[in-house]
Amino acid sequence: MTTFPSKTNSAQSFSIKSLALAAAVLAGVVCHTSALAQNVYQWTQTARWKEDARQESSGVVVYPREAYPGKSYDVRPNQHTRKMFPGAIVGDGNNKATSNNLWAALLASRNVVGNSTTLTRARDISEDWDINFIDPQYPTRNYWFDFYGDNYADGTYVGFAQVIQNGPQKGSAVLGNNNLLAMGDDRGAWLDPDGSLSYYWRENGLLDYDSANTTFTGGPWAGASLRSKLRFMIGYEEGRLYFLEGDHMLYVFDRDLKHLRTDEIYLDGELIDSSLGDVVDGKVPGVRYLGWDLGPVI
Protein backbone atom coordinates (compact mmCIF):
# COMPACT_ATOMS: atom_id res chain seq x y z
CA MET A 1 0.00 0.00 0.00
CA THR A 2 1.41 3.36 -1.06
CA THR A 3 1.33 6.18 1.46
CA PHE A 4 0.90 9.68 0.09
CA PRO A 5 2.21 12.73 1.95
CA SER A 6 -0.19 14.89 3.90
CA LYS A 7 -0.67 18.49 2.79
CA THR A 8 -0.22 19.61 6.36
CA ASN A 9 3.29 18.15 6.32
CA SER A 10 4.19 19.05 2.77
CA ALA A 11 7.27 21.20 3.34
CA GLN A 12 10.00 20.21 0.91
CA SER A 13 13.61 21.20 0.95
CA PHE A 14 14.50 24.32 -0.97
CA SER A 15 17.65 25.62 -2.49
CA ILE A 16 19.42 28.71 -1.21
CA LYS A 17 20.95 30.61 -4.12
CA SER A 18 22.84 33.72 -5.04
CA LEU A 19 21.28 36.97 -3.88
CA ALA A 20 21.50 38.45 -7.36
CA LEU A 21 19.03 35.86 -8.63
CA ALA A 22 16.21 36.04 -6.08
CA ALA A 23 12.85 35.80 -7.82
CA ALA A 24 10.33 38.46 -7.02
CA VAL A 25 6.80 37.96 -5.81
CA LEU A 26 4.68 40.70 -4.31
CA ALA A 27 3.24 39.40 -1.10
CA GLY A 28 2.38 36.46 -3.18
CA VAL A 29 3.88 33.82 -5.45
CA VAL A 30 5.41 34.48 -8.85
CA CYS A 31 7.15 32.23 -11.29
CA HIS A 32 10.40 33.94 -12.28
CA THR A 33 12.62 32.86 -15.18
CA SER A 34 14.97 35.80 -15.68
CA ALA A 35 17.42 35.35 -18.54
CA LEU A 36 20.05 37.18 -16.51
CA ALA A 37 20.11 34.35 -14.01
CA GLN A 38 20.34 31.41 -16.38
CA ASN A 39 24.01 30.82 -15.73
CA VAL A 40 23.61 30.86 -11.97
CA TYR A 41 20.61 28.72 -11.11
CA GLN A 42 19.23 25.60 -12.67
CA TRP A 43 15.46 25.63 -12.28
CA THR A 44 12.49 27.94 -12.51
CA GLN A 45 12.25 30.05 -9.36
CA THR A 46 9.35 31.25 -7.25
CA ALA A 47 9.30 34.21 -4.90
CA ARG A 48 6.90 35.91 -2.50
CA TRP A 49 6.43 39.43 -1.14
CA LYS A 50 5.41 39.41 2.50
CA GLU A 51 2.28 41.23 3.56
CA ASP A 52 3.11 40.90 7.25
CA ALA A 53 6.46 42.62 6.65
CA ARG A 54 5.13 45.62 4.74
CA GLN A 55 6.41 49.01 5.88
CA GLU A 56 5.18 52.54 5.41
CA SER A 57 7.65 54.90 3.76
CA SER A 58 6.98 58.48 2.61
CA GLY A 59 3.25 57.94 2.57
CA VAL A 60 3.26 54.66 0.64
CA VAL A 61 3.52 51.02 1.65
CA VAL A 62 6.56 49.01 0.58
CA TYR A 63 6.29 45.22 0.31
CA PRO A 64 9.66 43.49 0.83
CA ARG A 65 10.44 40.24 -0.87
CA GLU A 66 10.64 37.29 1.48
CA ALA A 67 14.19 37.10 2.85
CA TYR A 68 15.45 39.28 -0.02
CA PRO A 69 18.20 39.20 -1.07
CA GLY A 70 19.33 36.16 0.85
CA LYS A 71 17.56 33.28 -0.86
CA SER A 72 15.33 32.14 -3.65
CA TYR A 73 13.55 28.90 -4.40
CA ASP A 74 14.17 26.57 -7.33
CA VAL A 75 10.95 24.81 -8.26
CA ARG A 76 10.20 22.07 -10.77
CA PRO A 77 6.50 21.12 -10.96
CA ASN A 78 5.23 17.78 -9.68
CA GLN A 79 6.69 14.89 -11.66
CA HIS A 80 3.19 13.88 -12.74
CA THR A 81 3.05 16.97 -14.97
CA ARG A 82 5.62 15.30 -17.24
CA LYS A 83 2.99 12.71 -18.11
CA MET A 84 0.33 15.37 -18.64
CA PHE A 85 2.48 17.58 -20.87
CA PRO A 86 4.96 15.34 -22.72
CA GLY A 87 5.59 18.08 -25.29
CA ALA A 88 7.21 20.18 -22.55
CA ILE A 89 10.12 17.78 -22.11
CA VAL A 90 13.47 18.94 -23.47
CA GLY A 91 16.17 16.26 -23.75
CA ASP A 92 16.14 14.06 -20.67
CA GLY A 93 13.88 16.56 -18.89
CA ASN A 94 16.43 17.30 -16.19
CA ASN A 95 16.94 20.93 -17.12
CA LYS A 96 15.57 24.43 -16.64
CA ALA A 97 14.01 24.51 -20.11
CA THR A 98 11.74 21.60 -19.17
CA SER A 99 10.89 23.24 -15.85
CA ASN A 100 9.95 26.48 -17.58
CA ASN A 101 7.86 24.63 -20.16
CA LEU A 102 5.98 22.67 -17.50
CA TRP A 103 5.20 25.85 -15.57
CA ALA A 104 3.94 27.51 -18.74
CA ALA A 105 1.75 24.50 -19.56
CA LEU A 106 0.25 24.48 -16.06
CA LEU A 107 -0.45 28.21 -16.07
CA ALA A 108 -2.32 27.87 -19.36
CA SER A 109 -4.24 24.72 -18.39
CA ARG A 110 -7.93 24.60 -17.50
CA ASN A 111 -7.07 21.59 -15.33
CA VAL A 112 -5.49 23.83 -12.69
CA VAL A 113 -8.03 24.63 -9.96
CA GLY A 114 -8.94 28.32 -10.13
CA ASN A 115 -7.36 28.90 -13.54
CA SER A 116 -10.49 29.40 -15.66
CA THR A 117 -12.12 32.68 -14.64
CA THR A 118 -12.09 35.66 -16.97
CA LEU A 119 -13.88 37.92 -14.46
CA THR A 120 -10.90 39.03 -12.37
CA ARG A 121 -7.80 41.09 -13.16
CA ALA A 122 -5.49 38.20 -12.23
CA ARG A 123 -6.03 34.53 -11.55
CA ASP A 124 -5.15 33.32 -8.07
CA ILE A 125 -4.19 29.65 -8.23
CA SER A 126 -2.10 29.60 -5.06
CA GLU A 127 -3.68 28.20 -1.90
CA ASP A 128 -1.72 27.53 1.25
CA TRP A 129 1.50 27.60 -0.81
CA ASP A 130 0.14 24.89 -3.11
CA ILE A 131 -0.84 24.63 -6.78
CA ASN A 132 -3.69 22.15 -7.32
CA PHE A 133 -4.24 20.41 -10.65
CA ILE A 134 -6.19 17.46 -12.05
CA ASP A 135 -5.09 14.95 -14.68
CA PRO A 136 -8.18 14.24 -16.87
CA GLN A 137 -7.25 10.54 -16.74
CA TYR A 138 -7.70 10.57 -12.95
CA PRO A 139 -10.44 13.17 -12.33
CA THR A 140 -10.98 12.33 -8.65
CA ARG A 141 -7.33 12.95 -7.78
CA ASN A 142 -6.27 16.44 -6.80
CA TYR A 143 -2.55 16.53 -7.50
CA TRP A 144 -0.62 19.33 -5.89
CA PHE A 145 2.83 20.71 -5.22
CA ASP A 146 4.19 23.38 -2.92
CA PHE A 147 5.67 26.45 -4.61
CA TYR A 148 8.54 26.17 -2.11
CA GLY A 149 9.10 22.53 -3.07
CA ASP A 150 10.96 21.02 -5.99
CA ASN A 151 10.16 18.09 -8.26
CA TYR A 152 7.64 16.34 -6.00
CA ALA A 153 7.35 12.64 -6.75
CA ASP A 154 4.45 11.34 -8.78
CA GLY A 155 1.57 10.40 -6.50
CA THR A 156 1.23 13.45 -4.26
CA TYR A 157 -2.51 13.83 -4.34
CA VAL A 158 -5.56 14.03 -2.12
CA GLY A 159 -9.29 13.66 -2.75
CA PHE A 160 -11.00 16.10 -5.06
CA ALA A 161 -14.60 17.27 -5.29
CA GLN A 162 -15.39 17.65 -8.98
CA VAL A 163 -18.78 19.20 -8.24
CA ILE A 164 -19.94 21.60 -5.49
CA GLN A 165 -22.19 19.73 -3.09
CA ASN A 166 -24.51 22.31 -1.54
CA GLY A 167 -25.28 26.01 -1.15
CA PRO A 168 -25.85 28.50 -3.99
CA GLN A 169 -23.25 26.78 -6.21
CA LYS A 170 -24.67 23.26 -5.78
CA GLY A 171 -24.03 21.16 -8.86
CA SER A 172 -21.38 23.50 -10.30
CA ALA A 173 -18.29 21.89 -11.80
CA VAL A 174 -15.07 23.06 -10.17
CA LEU A 175 -12.84 22.81 -13.22
CA GLY A 176 -13.37 25.22 -16.09
CA ASN A 177 -15.80 27.34 -14.08
CA ASN A 178 -15.80 31.08 -14.74
CA ASN A 179 -17.37 31.78 -11.32
CA LEU A 180 -14.52 30.29 -9.27
CA LEU A 181 -12.75 33.60 -8.73
CA ALA A 182 -9.75 32.64 -6.61
CA MET A 183 -8.22 29.88 -4.52
CA GLY A 184 -6.88 30.45 -1.03
CA ASP A 185 -6.54 28.90 2.40
CA ASP A 186 -7.98 25.51 1.24
CA ARG A 187 -11.11 27.30 0.03
CA GLY A 188 -12.34 28.80 -3.19
CA ALA A 189 -14.16 32.13 -3.51
CA TRP A 190 -17.16 31.87 -5.86
CA LEU A 191 -19.39 34.49 -7.47
CA ASP A 192 -23.05 33.60 -6.89
CA PRO A 193 -25.95 34.35 -9.26
CA ASP A 194 -27.18 37.17 -6.99
CA GLY A 195 -23.81 38.98 -7.14
CA SER A 196 -22.61 37.92 -3.68
CA LEU A 197 -19.81 35.53 -2.74
CA SER A 198 -19.74 32.05 -1.27
CA TYR A 199 -16.74 30.03 -0.11
CA TYR A 200 -16.26 26.27 -0.50
CA TRP A 201 -13.78 23.72 0.80
CA ARG A 202 -11.54 22.42 -1.96
CA GLU A 203 -11.41 18.76 -0.94
CA ASN A 204 -15.10 17.99 -0.32
CA GLY A 205 -16.93 20.74 -2.20
CA LEU A 206 -18.98 21.72 0.86
CA LEU A 207 -20.04 25.25 1.73
CA ASP A 208 -17.86 26.98 4.31
CA TYR A 209 -19.48 30.44 4.29
CA ASP A 210 -22.19 32.16 2.25
CA SER A 211 -22.20 35.96 2.24
CA ALA A 212 -25.38 37.85 1.41
CA ASN A 213 -23.62 41.14 0.64
CA THR A 214 -23.45 42.35 -2.95
CA THR A 215 -21.98 45.82 -2.31
CA PHE A 216 -18.87 47.10 -0.57
CA THR A 217 -19.03 48.71 2.88
CA GLY A 218 -16.57 51.44 3.86
CA GLY A 219 -13.45 52.50 2.04
CA PRO A 220 -13.18 54.11 -1.40
CA TRP A 221 -15.72 51.74 -2.99
CA ALA A 222 -18.51 52.09 -0.41
CA GLY A 223 -21.86 51.41 -2.06
CA ALA A 224 -20.37 50.03 -5.27
CA SER A 225 -21.44 46.58 -6.38
CA LEU A 226 -19.05 43.64 -6.29
CA ARG A 227 -19.74 42.92 -9.96
CA SER A 228 -18.63 46.41 -10.94
CA LYS A 229 -15.22 45.91 -9.29
CA LEU A 230 -14.44 42.27 -10.08
CA ARG A 231 -12.10 43.38 -12.86
CA PHE A 232 -9.70 44.57 -10.13
CA MET A 233 -9.66 41.38 -8.03
CA ILE A 234 -6.25 39.68 -7.78
CA GLY A 235 -6.56 37.26 -4.86
CA TYR A 236 -8.19 35.70 -1.82
CA GLU A 237 -6.45 34.37 1.30
CA GLU A 238 -7.39 33.77 4.96
CA GLY A 239 -10.75 35.50 4.72
CA ARG A 240 -9.42 38.57 2.90
CA LEU A 241 -10.18 39.72 -0.63
CA TYR A 242 -7.54 41.68 -2.56
CA PHE A 243 -8.25 44.19 -5.34
CA LEU A 244 -5.68 46.20 -7.28
CA GLU A 245 -6.79 49.40 -9.03
CA GLY A 246 -4.26 50.94 -11.42
CA ASP A 247 -0.61 50.15 -10.76
CA HIS A 248 -0.38 50.65 -7.01
CA MET A 249 -3.71 50.98 -5.11
CA LEU A 250 -4.48 47.80 -3.18
CA TYR A 251 -7.88 47.53 -1.46
CA VAL A 252 -8.40 44.77 1.10
CA PHE A 253 -11.87 43.60 2.21
CA ASP A 254 -13.22 40.84 4.41
CA ARG A 255 -15.46 38.04 3.13
CA ASP A 256 -18.55 40.24 3.56
CA LEU A 257 -16.99 43.03 1.45
CA LYS A 258 -16.24 45.25 4.46
CA HIS A 259 -13.20 47.49 3.94
CA LEU A 260 -10.16 46.55 6.03
CA ARG A 261 -7.41 48.77 4.66
CA THR A 262 -5.95 50.52 1.62
CA ASP A 263 -2.28 50.32 0.65
CA GLU A 264 -0.52 52.38 -1.98
CA ILE A 265 1.81 49.51 -2.69
CA TYR A 266 5.35 49.38 -4.06
CA LEU A 267 7.64 46.39 -4.37
CA ASP A 268 11.10 45.98 -2.95
CA GLY A 269 13.86 43.66 -4.08
CA GLU A 270 14.44 42.83 -7.73
CA LEU A 271 11.01 44.20 -8.72
CA ILE A 272 11.69 47.59 -7.18
CA ASP A 273 11.36 49.24 -10.58
CA SER A 274 8.19 47.32 -11.54
CA SER A 275 4.65 48.08 -10.43
CA LEU A 276 2.41 45.39 -9.00
CA GLY A 277 0.01 46.26 -11.80
CA ASP A 278 2.60 45.34 -14.43
CA VAL A 279 3.37 42.09 -12.59
CA VAL A 280 -0.24 40.90 -12.39
CA ASP A 281 -0.91 42.01 -15.98
CA GLY A 282 2.02 39.96 -17.28
CA LYS A 283 4.05 42.94 -18.49
CA VAL A 284 7.31 42.09 -16.71
CA PRO A 285 9.47 39.81 -18.89
CA GLY A 286 10.18 36.41 -17.36
CA VAL A 287 7.69 36.88 -14.48
CA ARG A 288 4.28 35.24 -14.02
CA TYR A 289 1.85 36.02 -11.20
CA LEU A 290 0.51 32.93 -9.40
CA GLY A 291 -1.65 34.57 -6.79
CA TRP A 292 -1.79 36.10 -3.34
CA ASP A 293 -0.58 34.11 -0.35
CA LEU A 294 -0.46 36.90 2.23
CA GLY A 295 1.71 38.59 -0.30
CA PRO A 296 2.15 38.33 -4.05
CA VAL A 297 3.63 35.11 -5.38
CA ILE A 298 5.43 34.90 -8.73
Side-chain angles (χ1 to χ4, degrees):
M1 178 176 179
T2 303
T3 301
F4 300 106
S6 166
K7 287 193 71 173
T8 57
N9 296 300
S10 65
Q12 302 289 310
S13 62
F14 51 80
S15 304
I16 298 180
K17 303 295 181 184
S18 162
L19 26 113
L21 304 173
V25 180
L26 283 174
V29 178
V30 176
C31 186
H32 184 62
T33 58
S34 171
L36 296 176
Q38 286 180 0
N39 295 325
V40 182
Y41 66 80
Q42 185 71 11
W43 311 116
T44 307
Q45 296 194 317
T46 57
R48 172 175 173 248
W49 276 260
K50 297 184 70 173
E51 180 178 336
D52 60 358
R54 68 190 191 280
Q55 298 176 350
E56 291 191 17
S57 176
S58 301
V60 301
V61 176
V62 176
Y63 275 61
R65 184 197 180 285
E66 184 175 38
Y68 181 84
K71 60 184 176 183
S72 55
Y73 304 92
D74 286 350
V75 178
R76 288 171 288 177
N78 184 305
Q79 292 177 23
H80 190 83
T81 59
R82 297 166 185 252
K83 301 176 182 178
M84 292 178 60
F85 308 111
I89 307 301
V90 176
D92 65 359
N94 189 30
N95 48 61
K96 191 170 81 71
T98 297
S99 178
N100 290 350
N101 290 345
L102 289 173
W103 270 105
L106 274 172
L107 294 176
S109 174
R110 291 169 63 86
N111 291 316
V112 174
V113 180
N115 204 28
S116 296
T117 188
T118 61
L119 300 176
T120 59
R121 180 169 182 176
R123 293 169 181 166
D124 182 359
I125 62 173
S126 167
E127 63 89 9
D128 279 355
W129 301 359
D130 296 328
I131 310 297
N132 296 274
F133 64 96
I134 285 79
D135 183 342
Q137 295 187 27
Y138 306 99
T140 61
R141 297 180 180 181
N142 174 32
Y143 291 90
W144 57 275
F145 63 96
D146 191 314
F147 61 70
Y148 285 149
D150 175 50
N151 202 30
Y152 278 21
D154 187 17
T156 53
Y157 67 85
V158 292
F160 167 63
Q162 301 178 65
V163 176
I164 295 298
Q165 301 300 305
N166 61 346
Q169 294 290 338
K170 182 177 180 180
S172 297
V174 173
L175 288 183
N177 200 307
N178 200 40
N179 293 317
L180 176 50
L181 302 179
M183 292 299 299
D185 196 29
D186 289 324
R187 302 166 182 83
W190 291 71
L191 178 66
D192 293 337
D194 66 354
S196 65
L197 295 172
S198 54
Y199 304 83
Y200 289 84
W201 292 102
R202 174 186 47 77
E203 290 189 30
N204 58 25
L206 294 175
L207 180 68
D208 173 52
Y209 182 72
D210 184 14
S211 176
N213 296 332
T214 61
T215 59
F216 294 94
T217 303
W221 292 348
S225 69
L226 171 65
R227 287 186 186 276
S228 71
K229 300 298 185 181
L230 273 179
R231 67 188 185 277
F232 299 120
M233 186 175 178
I234 63 170
Y236 166 67
E237 181 69 20
E238 292 193 6
R240 304 177 196 173
L241 301 161
Y242 296 86
F243 297 80
L244 183 70
E245 188 172 31
D247 286 335
H248 304 287
M249 298 307 298
L250 182 73
Y251 304 130
V252 185
F253 297 86
D254 71 8
R255 295 200 294 182
D256 285 315
L257 305 181
K258 296 177 181 177
H259 181 255
L260 298 176
R261 72 171 197 272
T262 296
D263 288 346
E264 183 179 351
I265 180 174
Y266 290 82
L267 304 178
D268 200 357
E270 63 270 49
L271 291 184
I272 192 169
D273 294 323
S274 301
S275 71
L276 179 55
D278 282 346
V279 170
V280 302
D281 293 340
K283 296 180 179 180
V284 180
V287 173
R288 296 289 298 273
Y289 179 80
L290 303 184
W292 195 277
D293 192 80
L294 293 183
V297 179
I298 59 169

